[in-house]
Amino acid sequence: MTPFGSKMRQLRADKNVTQQQQAHYLGVSNAYISALENGARGKPSAVLVDQICVWLGLIWDDAEELKRLAALSHPKPTIDVRKQTPDAVLLANMLAQNIERLDDNDCQILLTALEKRLG
């Protein structure tokens, strides 16, 4: 599941609406909504995210958060480290080769450190 899919599922459940209702409003299939929520599809288009925000009646901050999560929800991200330092190349490779070994706590520790450093 992607961060976007998880958040969209939570927001939809909070509004007590179904995937089918959402799919109908957005003009997409129920299978597509399910795939977005489960991470089987890549990040949605900006237009679709805007439509989801309107449909869910999200206020400014919540809409911006959903858009941010959509941008960070590609299930197969690519990192080009060709012009980076050896440490950056090492970091990218270690993460790629070991991501399945990290639990939620490990991920949260790394995310917190990166967010603190990058602002």
Side-chain angles (χ1 to χ4, degrees), residues 9-114:
R9 178 179 284 171
Q10 174 207 336
L11 291 168
R12 189 177 47 72
D14 290 349
K15 299 281 186 179
N16 199 30
V17 292
T18 67
Q19 286 181 344
Q20 185 173 0
Q21 290 169 317
Q22 185 175 18
H24 182 266
Y25 175 84
L26 298 172
V28 298
S29 71
N30 190 43
Y32 180 71
I33 297 298
S34 178
L36 278 177
E37 286 188 3
N38 293 311
R41 292 295 304 241
K43 63 181 184 177
S45 70
V47 171
L48 183 64
V49 176
D50 284 340
Q51 291 173 330
I52 292 168
C53 291
V54 169
W55 183 71
L56 291 171
L58 299 182
I59 59 171
W60 177 264
D61 289 343
D62 291 335
E64 288 303 310
E65 175 66 4
L66 191 63
K67 291 175 186 180
R68 184 184 76 80
L69 292 175
L72 296 171
S73 288
H74 196 293
K76 292 184 178 182
T78 302
I79 304 172
D80 183 355
V81 292
R82 288 179 284 190
K83 295 182 181 180
Q84 300 301 316
T85 66
D87 282 343
V89 174
L90 177 62
L91 174 62
N93 279 275
M94 286 189 70
L95 187 57
Q97 292 172 11
N98 294 288
I99 191 74
E100 71 282 347
R101 295 173 54 196
L102 301 177
D103 63 19
D104 285 343
N105 187 54
D106 296 329
C107 291
Q108 193 57 53
I109 290 168
L110 292 169
L111 285 167
T112 299
L114 282 171

